[in-house]
Amino acid sequence: MADEKYDASQIQILEGLEAVRKRPGMYIGSTSSRGLHHLVFEIVDNAVDEALAGRCSSIEITIHEDNSISVLDDGNGIPTGIHPTAGIPAVEVVFTILHAGGKFGGSGYKVAGGLHGVGASVVNALSEYLEVTVYQNGSVYKQRYERGDVMTPLEVIGKTNNTGTLVHFKPDGQIFEETVYDFDVLAKRIQEMAFLTKGLKIKITDKRDGKEEIFHYEGGIKEFVEFLNTEKKLLHDKIFYVDNEKNNTSVEVAFQYNDGYSELIGSFVNNINTPEGGTHLAGFKSAITKVINDYARANNILKEKDVNFSGDDTREGLTAIISIKIQDPQFEGQTKQKLGNKDVRFAVDSVVTEHLTYFFEENPAIAKIIIEKAILAARARDAAKKARELTRRKSVLESTTLPGKLSDCSEKDPSKCEIYLVEGDSAGGSAKQARTRLTQAILPLKGKILNVEKAGRIDKILANEEIKAMITAFGTGVGEDFDVSKLRYHKIIIMTDADVDGEHIRTLMLTFLYRYFRGLIEGGYIYIAQPPLYKARKAKKDYYVYSDKELEKVLNEIGRENVDIQRFKGLGEMDAEQLWDTTMDPEKRTLKKAQIEDLVTTDEIFSTLMGERVDLRKKFIEEHAKYASNIDV
Ligand code: TSJ
């Protein structure tokens, strides 16, 4: 290639990637641990695309001892030929031009990839170094970049009989606040990727400690459902599964019922989780409601006088995965996580309707079991409704009669109000003393609140005093009555001890909110207070410290001599002033927003921790002293 041409394109390229280094958050969300892990997913997404195109069957991810990452696939290799308009090798375009990648006339679905849908060039820009090796046409090609700059041109460095792409990069310590990888964070998302791409084998190896895992599911999302239902009592063995295409939409659905009372539906568009659902989820729900009702009528299980099952009735105990792939996904809603494409609803509805009708005809015993479950759900719903009406008359759930234990705030504008849900009466007392009366309400909750996962249906749960108090204080109503516009506090803050018991109670509360007030989590109203773990005192000066890592940092700064370190076992060990200063003062505190992070752990935690299996629950609590991490930012 002519040198001149090479230089010319180079200048333009450098400008492009400089922007990424200046404002990394714009491209990868943040430069925290989350952004660090995001880099890996960006790269892996590209290799998964190659698998979706049918050219790759195996991906190997390695965390090296220096926390650099390599990703190897056995696909065709990123094209090495000169790109017709850029005039440089296509692989160099991929790594040096923003938003390039994958658009070389390849067919099939382009997975948007990652949170922000940006590509390899962003990873390159944010890496101390990145080396790409392509195995193609009998040759091994290699190129090296540093902080996005081309260090060496694409060179042939050897011969090979293999094909594939290897990318090795080290995130730039000048950019990232955190540079240490967490195996579990990577493994979780990679496992999800493997479930969503049937047949693809993904291996992850941690060279720092020798850990490795291989995820490989020939059954794809059918095995995902099996996995999510692992600790559940199943209502039927055979999993419903369909993988079909309709109007350019690939529709893959799997589901199975368990004897529980909640529904767990994971929905994905081009391998990206859509926690807020959208048209694909709507299509699925309308199909199963319709097919179950039609079958029940046709077989005279629902008589003429009977009303139809509601959608909720047909989804009690349902575990499902919906994975669709489309050419041009449109995301809407506040967080752009809700699929908006109108025609997708019809495509999913019609594929599921057709195959589920057929499935019920082939498996009448399963149809009967599912319908019986819906009958019980409908009865419980009626009972709960009657109970609610009764209690409403008694004004127990009426927001005008607030619970006696609530110390309400005086401000009436919900957007300015916050409520602290505080574990235990004594901590509740300190919090009450510490708070700002105008905007902060305190609701102390006794000991272990009800374990909703084991308690059963909503009618029983509503009878629990602690839960009744929360519902009344929130003001939103619950179940069919839920109305987020009636929420009395725009911040609901869970404040528990920093010990294992506190964690347990926090998880119980989150479980309750997840199951019955998911709208509050999705709306971003639920927060977790961060009380300090330690107080370090030196020369009459106090340092409040929130993690073991921070303690190390503080001790390094102030010196280890003559330091008095106090570990706070519970909120109760702090006086009102300390509690205010460290945890409740809006000017100084940090709050974590609870969000439904990923399906794999969320449900693993909720069912393992809360379900029937006491042995697993114990083991889980012991292993995961910090298990709310999956639900935090
Ligand atoms: F992200 C990335 F670019 F760094 C990256 C890309 C990282 C890794 C580990 C793999 C890949 C990658 C890209 N593997 N395979 C490909 N494939 C292509 O770029 C490719 C190959 C052939 C054709 C074609 O149309 O023939 C098209 C494409 C996009």
Side-chain angles (χ1 to χ4, degrees):
M1 91 191 67
D3 278 345
E4 217 179 68
K5 207 170 173 186
Y6 191 84
D7 286 346
S9 37
Q10 201 63 14
I11 289 162
Q12 191 192 1
I13 290 156
L14 287 174
E15 274 177 4
L17 291 192
E18 211 34 62
V20 180
R21 291 183 59 82
K22 272 200 189 116
R23 296 170 152 229
M26 292 254 300
Y27 298 88
I28 54 161
S30 81
T31 53
S32 64
S33 171
R34 203 187 174 94
L36 181 80
H37 291 83
H38 186 73
L39 298 186
V40 181
F41 304 137
E42 284 293 347
I43 297 296
V44 173
D45 282 349
N46 283 277
V48 171
D49 277 352
E50 187 74 351
L52 289 174
R55 298 186 294 245
C56 153
S57 63
S58 160
I59 299 174
E60 291 185 18
I61 298 152
T62 306
I63 310 172
H64 297 276
E65 262 166 276
D66 63 350
N67 278 288
S68 65
I69 298 282
S70 59
V71 182
L72 170 69
D73 75 28
D74 63 351
N76 285 6
I78 305 177
T80 51
I82 299 297
H83 188 269
T85 53
I88 54 176
V91 54
E92 187 173 325
V93 173
V94 167
F95 285 100
T96 56
I97 297 182
L98 262 178
H99 295 292
K103 292 183 183 134
F104 300 104
S107 59
Y109 307 101
K110 174 80 185 93
V111 169
L115 271 172
H116 301 269
V118 291
S121 62
V122 170
V123 177
N124 189 23
L126 302 178
S127 294
E128 185 185 311
Y129 65 82
L130 182 148
E131 291 180 339
V132 57
T133 311
V134 176
Y135 306 86
Q136 202 172 64
N137 312 323
S139 300
V140 182
Y141 300 82
K142 188 167 181 179
Q143 184 165 32
R144 179 180 169 94
Y145 317 85
E146 290 178 12
R147 305 199 156 94
D149 296 344
V150 173
M151 286 292 116
T152 61
L154 188 70
E155 293 170 316
V156 173
I157 59 159
K159 290 185 182 167
T160 181
N161 290 322
N162 297 330
T163 65
T165 304
L166 169 66
V167 172
H168 185 180
F169 68 96
K170 182 159 197 267
D172 191 347
Q174 295 174 0
I175 301 276
F176 291 94
E177 293 138 46
E178 176 63 77
T179 51
V180 179
Y181 275 102
D182 182 329
F183 180 88
D184 293 337
V185 169
L186 294 181
K188 242 182 299 176
R189 170 68 182 141
I190 285 160
Q191 180 175 26
E192 190 177 271
M193 280 287 201
F195 277 129
L196 292 166
T197 318
K198 67 178 162 195
L200 175 63
K201 183 171 137 189
I202 315 185
K203 181 175 169 185
I204 173 166
T205 306
D206 192 338
K207 292 273 188 200
R208 299 167 305 183
D209 61 5
K211 220 187 275 178
E212 71 174 50
E213 295 246 27
I214 296 173
F215 302 113
H216 183 195
Y217 306 105
E218 286 299 344
I221 61 168
K222 196 168 167 175
E223 288 191 59
F224 201 165
V225 166
E226 207 171 283
F227 171 82
L228 293 171
N229 266 342
T230 306
E231 296 307 328
K232 309 269 165 74
K233 289 196 186 112
L234 304 174
L235 292 187
H236 55 98
D237 284 335
K238 192 171 178 179
I239 297 174
F240 170 85
Y241 177 75
V242 58
D243 183 7
N244 230 316
E245 191 162 317
K246 182 109 196 168
N247 302 341
N248 281 324
T249 302
S250 149
V251 179
E252 199 182 355
V253 172
F255 71 75
Q256 184 184 37
Y257 285 80
N258 60 60
D259 77 342
Y261 306 111
S262 48
E263 66 178 65
L264 176 71
I265 308 179
S267 63
F268 296 84
V269 176
N270 294 354
N271 283 0
I272 302 166
N273 191 205
T274 43
E276 288 179 42
T279 49
H280 53 329
L281 184 62
F284 170 73
K285 285 182 176 178
S286 92
I288 64 161
T289 307
K290 186 176 52 194
V291 174
I292 290 174
N293 274 299
D294 285 355
Y295 188 93
R297 293 238 174 250
N299 291 276
N300 215 22
I301 306 172
L302 275 180
K303 307 277 177 343
E304 216 169 299
K305 61 174 179 16
D306 295 330
V307 295
N308 268 2
F309 299 121
S310 75
D312 286 337
D313 296 339
T314 64
R315 295 192 302 275
E316 196 184 89
L318 174 68
T319 299
I321 297 289
I322 304 153
S323 172
I324 69 144
K325 300 206 173 74
I326 49 172
Q327 209 64 252
D328 185 21
Q330 303 294 321
F331 294 100
E332 33 184 63
Q334 269 188 335
T335 51
K336 297 266 173 244
Q337 289 187 344
K338 192 173 178 183
L339 187 70
N341 304 51
K342 292 276 176 296
D343 44 334
V344 168
R345 185 187 162 124
F346 170 77
V348 176
D349 188 334
S350 86
V351 167
V352 174
T353 298
E354 185 184 325
H355 284 262
L356 186 54
T357 304
Y358 178 74
F359 180 83
F360 278 175
E361 273 162 22
E362 292 283 294
N363 303 281
I366 299 179
K368 202 168 155 236
I369 289 168
I370 293 173
I371 288 166
E372 272 163 13
K373 178 80 167 151
I375 291 172
L376 292 178
R379 267 188 216 148
R381 182 168 53 94
D382 278 346
K385 198 169 171 184
K386 289 202 181 91
R388 262 203 313 274
E389 276 160 7
L390 211 67
T391 43
R392 198 181 290 134
R393 244 171 278 138
K394 282 192 276 174
S395 324
V396 175
L397 290 179
E398 192 92 303
S399 56
T400 48
T401 314
L402 291 166
K405 300 192 313 170
L406 175 75
S407 302
D408 207 8
C409 53
S410 46
E411 171 65 52
K412 293 290 171 240
D413 174 358
S415 70
K416 294 181 184 140
C417 296
E418 41 190 60
I419 181 169
Y420 277 84
L421 307 177
V422 187
E423 163 200 1
D425 283 335
S426 73
S430 304
K432 225 185 274 182
Q433 276 184 293
R435 70 174 176 145
T436 300
R437 287 188 85 95
L438 179 65
T439 54
Q440 295 181 319
I442 308 291
L443 181 63
L445 297 170
K446 249 202 229 97
K448 307 253 181 240
I449 66 161
L450 179 80
N451 190 335
V452 293
E453 206 69 4
K454 287 199 301 189
R457 291 200 176 88
I458 193 158
D459 46 342
K460 279 217 188 120
I461 286 157
L462 289 179
N464 178 275
E465 289 304 322
E466 308 298 307
I467 284 177
K468 257 197 285 202
M470 275 195 269
I471 295 171
T472 313
F474 295 169
T476 55
V478 67
E480 289 169 16
D481 295 340
F482 180 78
D483 179 357
V484 75
S485 73
K486 294 197 182 127
L487 183 61
R488 300 179 62 251
Y489 314 91
H490 282 193
K491 284 199 175 75
I492 296 170
I493 303 167
I494 298 172
M495 186 161 77
T496 60
D497 290 347
D499 63 1
V500 173
D501 271 357
E503 304 271 3
H504 189 188
I505 289 164
R506 180 162 90 185
T507 305
L508 287 169
M509 289 190 197
L510 285 168
T511 307
F512 164 67
L513 295 168
Y514 173 80
R515 294 291 187 218
Y516 295 99
F517 290 93
R518 202 176 298 186
L520 295 181
I521 300 184
E522 282 166 359
Y525 298 112
I526 310 292
Y527 295 83
I528 296 152
Q530 305 293 304
L533 266 184
Y534 303 99
K535 183 174 85 175
R537 190 175 172 86
K538 181 168 179 169
K540 292 191 178 158
K541 221 177 146 207
D542 291 334
Y543 302 84
Y544 291 101
V545 180
Y546 295 82
S547 68
D548 287 308
K549 208 170 150 191
E550 196 187 343
L551 182 64
E552 279 304 300
K553 223 167 111 187
V554 168
L555 291 178
N556 285 338
E557 274 164 28
I558 64 174
R560 282 160 205 268
E561 243 90 292
N562 304 317
V563 186
D564 180 31
I565 299 170
Q566 180 193 356
R567 189 188 163 103
F568 294 116
K569 291 213 188 59
L571 298 166
E573 290 182 20
M574 277 182 270
D575 60 30
E577 196 186 331
Q578 283 179 322
L579 194 59
W580 168 256
D581 280 345
T582 59
T583 317
M584 293 178 70
D585 179 356
E587 299 291 319
K588 293 193 226 151
R589 71 182 178 202
T590 46
L591 294 179
K592 277 193 184 176
K593 195 179 258 190
Q595 52 176 46
I596 302 164
E597 181 96 317
D598 65 76
L599 209 59
V600 175
T601 16
T602 305
D603 205 64
E604 186 185 350
I605 280 173
F606 289 139
S607 51
T608 308
L609 200 61
M610 306 301 150
E612 300 293 315
R613 299 275 306 267
V614 179
D615 51 335
L616 282 172
R617 213 156 64 226
K618 263 206 174 128
K619 185 164 160 271
F620 202 90
I621 293 172
E622 283 159 11
E623 281 176 7
H624 296 249
K626 57 175 175 65
Y627 43 66
S629 62
N630 74 303
I631 230 178
D632 297 346
V633 168

